[in-house]
Amino acid sequence: MNLEKTEGATILVVDDTPANISVLIDHLGDYNYKILVAEDAESAIEQLKFSKPDLILLDVMMPGMSGFDTCKLLKEKEATKDIPVIFMTALSEAEDKVTGFDLGGVDYITKPFQHEEVLARVSTHLTLRRLQKSLEETNINLEQRVAERTEELSVALSELEKLINRLEIENQYLQEEIKSEHNFDEIVGNHPTLNELLKNVEMVAPTDSTVLINGETGTGKELIARAIHNLSSRKDRPLVKVNCGAISSGLVESELFGHEKGAFTGAIQRRAGRFELANGGTIFLDEVGELPADTQVKLLRVLQEQEFERVGGSVLIKVDVRVIAATNKNLSQEITGGNFRSDLFYRLNVFPLEAPPLRNRPSDIPMLVDYFLDRLSKKFGKPLKGVTEEAMKRMVQYGWPGNIRELQNCIERAAIVTKESIMNVELVSISASGSSLTTDNLDKLEDIERELILKALNACNWQIGGNDGAASRLGRPPSTIRDRVRKLGIEKPGYTV
């Protein structure tokens, strides 16, 4: 009989007859089985607290607790329920054997013992138990491997979801970029103030320093940000724009930092924010003075630690982003008024730049006019060669409160209606009233501006934001209109800007 694979196993013999125990020890000991002995059920149960044999040979008829009761108790205990139990008995009734099997026994050995029978049954059930253990271990290992692979797949799917989400946002962002028409594609002019600005751009661009661009609406702050990015080592990564004044206060954090699925009503899936999109590149925060106070705190943390959590999430996301901010507000005054955090201002104002208003560099206007005419000639398919001397004089003398953006719109309006290659003064409609303004006539300029804003407010029931609001009608950001309403002292009973 081949017992190689079961030799060395531990067997607990439970019998109240010393002669039976002696016979089993002699029979089994010859095959290197380790034998443990108990003379009654109580001793066996106590011994099983300290050692766990591979098999139990259990006498049925014992004083005190019978073998059947002992087996029932062992099968109820977690520590011993898996140990195979072979009953030893002189009983031959089938009913007793069925009872033993029902209680969890695996086999019977009849008394008096037959040497070959004992060895065969012991070896068989030890082999079965060994195979069962091996199968259990295999199943555990398989389950563990399945769990590990499932986790790996889950992580991979999560990363794929992030990648898809990022690509969708990048695609959406690029589509918006393609659809949007920039005010101008390159900086035009050679006025000393502009040249000084460009020198500063060249100095700060190669660094990773945060830049704050100050300037009125329409002075080309975004163009300056693009120039800084394109001259930096990050030029091959995205330049991501965020107009902080155009996003509602309830969505600005989601736009900047992203959100988790279910973070708020309508958040049907995880979405990466603009900071994640700009990782490795540059983010341009236009109208940064419009950020709500709680968002200012989170932006400060990003500037300090380069990390944040998505809205509704708790996982820290690390990014490497250069920040360029822009504002048409006086942030020092906003700090005094409690609208802007001083610590955030100092973080943003590492390297300040000032975009000069167009009225301060009137010598650049002829160059800008020629530049816009060249673009519009290609766009409209018209041979636009220039403007009359009188029209140019009028444009040079005008104060341009909307700066380069207003100049561009003025030239485009004239280009649309002109039938000549040289546009005359009548076509260059500088203001809605048709008045020609000079930089020395600021009071009249403010009167006209006040009149225009009042007309727009009255036409839309004093609504500033929205598609039908005064800001949309005037072609200005809502924040600019609100600021001008305050500064020009425009009031309506019961209305608060």
Side-chain angles (χ1 to χ4, degrees):
M1 182 178 295
N2 186 359
L3 303 179
E4 291 180 4
K5 293 183 179 180
T6 61
E7 288 181 2
T10 300
I11 301 172
L12 172 62
V13 177
V14 186
D15 197 309
D16 62 326
T17 304
N20 290 337
I21 293 174
S22 177
V23 170
L24 289 171
I25 291 175
D26 289 341
H27 284 351
L28 299 174
D30 291 341
Y31 292 93
N32 295 322
Y33 290 120
K34 180 180 178 181
I35 308 301
L36 304 176
V37 174
E39 295 181 351
D40 53 41
E42 290 77 8
S43 299
I45 292 170
E46 183 66 23
Q47 190 168 166
L48 286 169
K49 293 179 181 179
F50 306 100
S51 60
K52 187 176 181 180
D54 298 298
L55 183 141
I56 298 175
L57 295 176
L58 181 60
D59 189 16
V60 172
M61 304 298 293
M62 294 184 296
M65 187 182 297
S66 71
F68 289 153
D69 291 337
T70 304
C71 181
K72 180 181 178 182
L73 182 62
L74 294 178
K75 295 303 175 181
E76 290 174 350
K77 294 179 179 293
E78 185 67 28
T80 56
K81 68 177 184 178
D82 294 329
I83 302 175
V85 174
I86 298 178
F87 288 110
M88 300 182 296
T89 180
L91 301 175
S92 59
E93 289 80 359
E95 182 178 349
D96 291 325
K97 293 182 178 180
V98 169
T99 299
F101 289 128
D102 287 343
L103 292 172
V106 296
D107 209 343
Y108 271 86
I109 295 175
T110 57
K111 297 178 182 179
F113 300 127
Q114 299 297 317
H115 180 65
E116 292 298 327
E117 179 190 9
V118 171
L119 289 176
R121 294 184 185 278
V122 166
S123 175
T124 297
H125 289 291
L126 283 173
T127 299
L128 288 174
R129 179 56 184 154
R130 177 180 58 78
L131 293 173
Q132 182 183 7
K133 282 184 176 181
S134 177
L135 181 60
E136 288 173 354
E137 291 174 358
T138 300
N139 286 338
I140 291 173
N141 291 335
L142 181 59
E143 289 175 359
Q144 184 176 353
R145 288 178 62 189
V146 169
E148 290 173 354
R149 292 294 296 160
T150 302
E151 178 65 21
E152 290 174 3
L153 288 173
S154 177
V155 171
L157 287 173
S158 177
E159 291 300 319
L160 180 60
E161 181 182 352
K162 291 179 185 178
L163 179 60
I164 292 173
N165 186 250
R166 181 186 178 93
L167 290 174
E168 286 177 349
I169 295 174
E170 285 186 355
N171 180 62
Q172 179 184 356
Y173 179 75
L174 290 174
Q175 290 297 326
E176 292 172 358
E177 285 284 277
I178 292 170
K179 291 178 182 178
S180 66
E181 181 182 1
H182 304 303
N183 290 335
F184 38 89
D185 295 323
E186 59 183 40
I187 299 173
V188 176
N190 57 15
H191 192 275
T193 57
L194 182 62
N195 291 333
E196 185 65 25
L197 170 65
L198 296 180
K199 288 180 182 178
N200 289 330
V201 167
E202 290 178 349
M203 284 191 294
V204 74
T207 74
D208 270 343
S209 297
T210 303
V211 178
L212 178 61
I213 307 171
N214 298 279
E216 298 176 7
T217 299
T219 51
K221 297 186 290 294
E222 180 185 333
L223 186 60
I224 296 169
R226 286 182 180 278
I228 295 171
H229 174 73
N230 291 335
L231 291 172
S232 74
S233 59
R234 299 170 180 264
K235 62 182 179 180
D236 295 326
R237 293 296 300 156
L239 168 65
V240 177
K241 298 183 303 179
V242 183
N243 189 332
C244 302
I247 309 171
S248 65
S249 58
L251 294 177
V252 65
E253 286 189 22
S254 172
E255 190 69 25
L256 289 175
F257 309 120
H259 62 254
E260 297 290 344
K261 181 179 179 180
F264 51 83
T265 303
I268 59 175
Q269 63 181 4
R270 174 188 288 173
R271 186 176 188 274
R274 294 299 176 100
F275 268 94
E276 281 184 78
L277 185 61
N279 190 27
T282 306
I283 191 166
F284 174 52
L285 303 176
D286 199 7
E287 296 190 51
V288 71
E290 299 293 334
L291 285 176
D294 51 349
T295 308
Q296 292 180 30
V297 176
K298 294 192 175 183
L299 176 58
L300 178 63
R301 177 185 177 186
V302 177
L303 291 171
Q304 291 174 332
E305 309 294 338
Q306 292 276 292
E307 64 184 24
F308 58 89
E309 296 104 11
R310 296 191 189 98
V311 176
S314 58
V315 177
L316 275 179
I317 299 172
K318 301 286 289 186
V319 290
D320 173 23
V321 177
R322 183 187 193 169
V323 176
I324 302 175
T327 181
N328 58 10
K329 290 186 172 184
N330 186 324
L331 292 186
S332 296
Q333 292 181 2
E334 294 295 311
I335 293 171
T336 302
N339 299 319
F340 202 81
R341 294 179 62 96
S342 59
D343 46 4
L344 176 58
F345 171 72
Y346 297 131
R347 282 283 178 178
L348 293 172
N349 200 42
V350 175
F351 196 90
L353 294 174
E354 189 73 30
L358 187 55
R359 63 179 175 273
N360 288 356
R361 53 185 186 108
S363 60
D364 286 340
I365 291 176
M367 296 177 62
L368 287 164
V369 171
D370 289 342
Y371 173 73
F372 290 132
L373 284 175
D374 181 64
R375 286 185 58 194
L376 293 169
S377 177
K378 297 173 183 175
K379 179 178 179 181
F380 297 147
K382 290 184 176 182
L384 304 173
K385 302 298 184 183
V387 299
T388 63
E389 183 178 344
E390 185 180 358
M392 182 62 74
K393 180 179 179 181
R394 184 181 186 186
M395 286 188 287
V396 171
Q397 290 178 335
Y398 179 55
W400 299 110
N403 293 292
I404 299 172
R405 186 177 296 130
E406 184 182 5
L407 173 62
Q408 180 188 12
N409 292 339
C410 172
I411 297 299
E412 184 166 349
R413 283 195 301 271
I416 291 171
V417 300
T418 187
K419 296 180 180 180
E420 306 293 335
S421 61
I422 303 296
M423 294 185 294
N424 58 40
V425 69
E426 286 77 15
L427 296 177
V428 182
S429 178
I430 290 178
S431 69
S433 64
S435 300
S436 177
L437 303 177
T438 68
T439 54
D440 297 326
N441 199 358
L442 296 179
D443 290 339
K444 189 174 181 180
L445 172 61
E446 288 193 350
D447 289 341
I448 293 175
E449 186 180 8
R450 185 182 293 105
E451 180 183 352
L452 287 173
I453 293 176
L454 276 170
K455 285 182 179 180
L457 288 170
N458 288 325
C460 57
N461 197 25
W462 283 70
Q463 178 183 338
I464 292 180
N467 294 332
D468 297 325
S472 178
R473 291 169 181 262
L474 294 169
R476 305 281 185 84
S479 58
T480 300
I481 299 302
R482 292 189 182 96
D483 185 57
R484 296 307 297 163
V485 167
R486 283 192 291 266
K487 290 182 178 179
L488 294 171
I490 298 175
E491 295 180 356
K492 179 184 179 182
Y495 176 79
T496 301
V497 179

